[in-house]
Amino acid sequence: MWTTKTRSISTLLGQCSRCRYVSTASRPRIEARLPLHTQLRRISTPASSPYQILDQTYKRDTYSNTPPAILSKIDRRLLHHPSHPLSILRNIIESHFSTHTSLTPSSPIVSVWQNFDELGFPPDHPGRSLTDSYYLNKEYMLRTHTSAHEVETYRKGLDRWLISADVYRRDEIDASHYPVFHQMEGTQVWPSSDITEIKELNAKLQKELESCPLIIEDETTISSTNPYQPTHDPELAEEVTKHLKHSLNSLIYRLFGSQQMEGEPLRVRWIEAFFPFTSPSYEVEVWWNGEWLELLGCGVVQQKTLDQAGMSYLRSLSRPSSLPYSDKKQCQRLMPDQSHKAGWAFGLGLERIAMVLFNIPDIRLFWSNDKRFLNQFKSGEITKFQPYSKYPPCYKDMSFWVPPISSDTAGGKGKVFHENDYCEIVREVAGDLVENLTLVRFPVLSIPHYPPILSTIK
């Protein structure tokens, strides 16, 4: 038996009395239109009708696990609402990197190849699991990170860009986790011939940072565990790394400096890290409200990523131009670019930073249509969120049985009931009124095929 605790976020949204499925404190239990094992089967078993998303059709198969509640978020486009906290934060970051090209992919649907294979994710990576990601079918899915667009953006020949987008992951239910959130990643790439320009930029940025009330704690070193890449000239790699650190230190000061208590310098800390797509790699933290808050990950882009996108190569002919066109095409080959490029990249979660800057206590509030939330914010301004509901939280327990394990899913690999499956059921029934789910026990009894599950809803 399995027990979860969930909580109505009536204290934030003030809608508990309007919800049929998550009751007020005076009602003893949750009401559901269908038995939970039937609801589970609805979510986990592919329907016959194809998905219709953004005027495109996607056939369903045994991998299909994206429910209507998730698909309904695609059209919300929170980053396009000027007075929304996420849009305000995005615009501040884009204005800081004013020379970068700002991009927003038109659709969150990508191929599995783009999302995983092209980026080198191994076949057994947990992110590929049906319990972790939303699939439309075996070939297409909702992107789990903005990096799914990284290689195709490099292929456009852009040397500096920012990508902001909504990403989707099957996740638990609580105040800091949501199945849809927003990421931003940015990059800047130079040819090695620009090393003098990079040095000049670094000197200028360092001088500007020295004039700010900012304490930078950076004890990172280049070592065998966090090395420069062997294909990079060490001098170029060092200057690229310096520019990365100066650029992000100034961004963090731009975001948090004005919010810091008067008279206290802002503290930023750099920590060595490991990411498969950068080397050297770092995580960056800021001292906030008495503790270190992780903000982002970053590093020098792996050269193989740039090579795969054609950033470090030029197309040329190995034979005279007098050859017929058909022969020319056959003779085309990729030649190394003599100006060999290298660059840095960073990635951050917009909700994580916005919740801190705007003092927003629950991640689901970003999706609220309540004017009492939306009218609190103005484009270009960081203001503190003011709670507006008087309703107390309400706790409920519930128990149910899971259906037999089926072997007819995900290409015959079978499917075991997962906690995220239950979160999907709750989300489909109660929407965003459920604040938290806590597993208490699973199972208590041993009955063939139907292990009992007990759940509590807060």
Side-chain angles (χ1 to χ4, degrees), residues 131-411:
T131 60
D132 280 28
S133 299
Y134 289 109
Y135 286 81
L136 302 181
N137 51 46
K138 189 175 182 179
E139 296 181 353
Y140 291 95
M141 64 186 301
L142 300 181
R143 62 182 166 230
T144 63
H145 46 202
T146 50
S147 297
H149 302 281
E150 183 176 291
V151 175
E152 68 177 353
T153 305
Y154 279 132
R155 285 195 182 113
K156 295 177 181 178
L158 297 174
D159 284 339
R160 56 188 74 182
W161 46 262
L162 299 170
I163 289 180
S164 306
D166 46 337
V167 298
Y168 300 75
R169 297 180 191 175
R170 297 191 70 188
D171 213 338
E172 58 196 89
I173 294 178
D174 61 34
S176 59
H177 294 84
Y178 199 76
V180 191
F181 55 102
H182 297 78
Q183 287 184 337
M184 173 182 280
E185 68 177 80
T187 189
Q188 187 157 354
V189 179
W190 292 271
S192 58
S193 57
D194 285 354
I195 188 168
T196 301
E197 179 185 343
I198 304 174
K199 288 182 177 180
E200 293 173 353
L201 284 171
N202 284 338
K204 179 182 177 182
L205 288 170
Q206 183 173 350
K207 187 175 181 180
E208 291 175 353
L209 287 168
E210 288 173 350
S211 65
C212 299
L214 181 66
I215 297 176
I216 301 171
E217 301 180 19
D218 186 358
E219 298 181 358
T220 61
T221 60
I222 301 302
S223 65
S224 59
T225 58
N226 204 31
Y228 290 141
Q229 298 169 46
T231 57
H232 287 169
D233 173 70
E235 185 180 15
L236 175 63
E238 180 181 6
E239 294 303 325
V240 169
T241 302
K242 284 182 180 179
H243 191 270
L244 164 68
K245 291 183 175 183
H246 292 333
S247 299
L248 294 182
N249 283 332
S250 60
L251 170 64
I252 294 170
Y253 183 75
R254 171 81 175 269
L255 294 174
F256 289 88
S258 61
Q259 308 296 313
Q260 184 73 348
M261 292 183 62
E262 187 175 353
E264 292 189 12
L266 185 69
R267 295 171 59 191
V268 177
R269 182 168 71 177
W270 286 74
I271 300 171
E272 291 183 21
F274 171 79
F275 302 113
F277 316 121
T278 55
S279 183
S281 301
Y282 308 95
E283 290 179 346
V284 191
E285 300 177 337
V286 64
W287 183 256
W288 195 254
N289 289 336
E291 61 182 358
W292 287 107
L293 174 68
E294 181 184 335
L295 294 181
L296 55 87
C298 61
V300 177
V301 180
Q302 285 283 2
Q303 196 60 40
K304 62 183 180 181
T305 302
L306 299 179
D307 293 346
Q308 184 176 4
M311 286 291 287
S312 293
Y313 288 82
L314 292 175
R315 186 170 293 280
S316 64
L317 290 176
S318 61
R319 294 192 181 183
S321 58
S322 58
L323 288 172
Y325 176 77
S326 58
D327 290 336
K328 287 183 186 179
K329 188 172 182 179
Q330 293 175 4
C331 293
Q332 282 184 337
R333 60 189 178 92
L334 292 177
M335 298 291 291
D337 183 353
Q338 298 303 314
S339 62
H340 182 76
K341 293 182 177 180
W344 53 255
F346 73 88
L348 55 83
L350 290 173
E351 275 88 348
R352 182 178 181 82
I353 297 177
M355 288 176 75
V356 174
L357 291 177
F358 291 88
N359 202 30
I360 295 174
D362 194 292
I363 194 170
R364 279 154 298 189
L365 280 168
F366 290 114
W367 296 91
S368 174
N369 284 314
D370 196 314
K371 292 183 179 180
R372 291 174 296 177
F373 174 78
L374 298 175
N375 290 346
Q376 291 190 33
F377 309 103
K378 294 181 180 179
S379 178
E381 298 180 14
I382 295 179
T383 54
K384 301 299 182 182
F385 167 74
Q386 300 297 322
Y388 47 80
S389 177
K390 62 183 180 181
Y391 294 100
C394 146
Y395 295 81
K396 297 297 168 187
D397 293 336
M398 96 188 258
S399 61
F400 62 93
W401 305 84
V402 297
I405 296 173
S406 171
S407 60
D408 186 28
T409 56

Side-chain angles (χ1 to χ4, degrees), residues 23-43:
S23 61
T24 59
S26 61
R27 295 168 69 181
R29 64 181 62 186
I30 296 174
E31 300 176 20
R33 285 182 278 187
L34 295 173
L36 279 176
H37 65 81
T38 304
Q39 295 180 38
L40 173 61
R41 196 154 53 236
R42 267 187 163 185
I43 292 173

Side-chain angles (χ1 to χ4, degrees), residues 1-6 172-174 397-398 400 402 417-420 422-423 436-444 452-458:
M1 192 172 285
W2 199 91
T3 303
T4 54
K5 282 191 176 179
T6 65
E172 58 196 89
I173 294 178
D174 61 34
D397 293 336
M398 96 188 258
F400 62 93
V402 297
F417 185 81
H418 190 276
E419 186 173 353
N420 284 343
Y422 179 58
C423 289
N436 195 40
L437 291 171
T438 305
L439 176 63
V440 175
R441 60 186 182 272
F442 178 123
V444 171
I453 297 178
L454 174 65
S455 125
T456 302
I457 296 189
K458 173 187 175 191

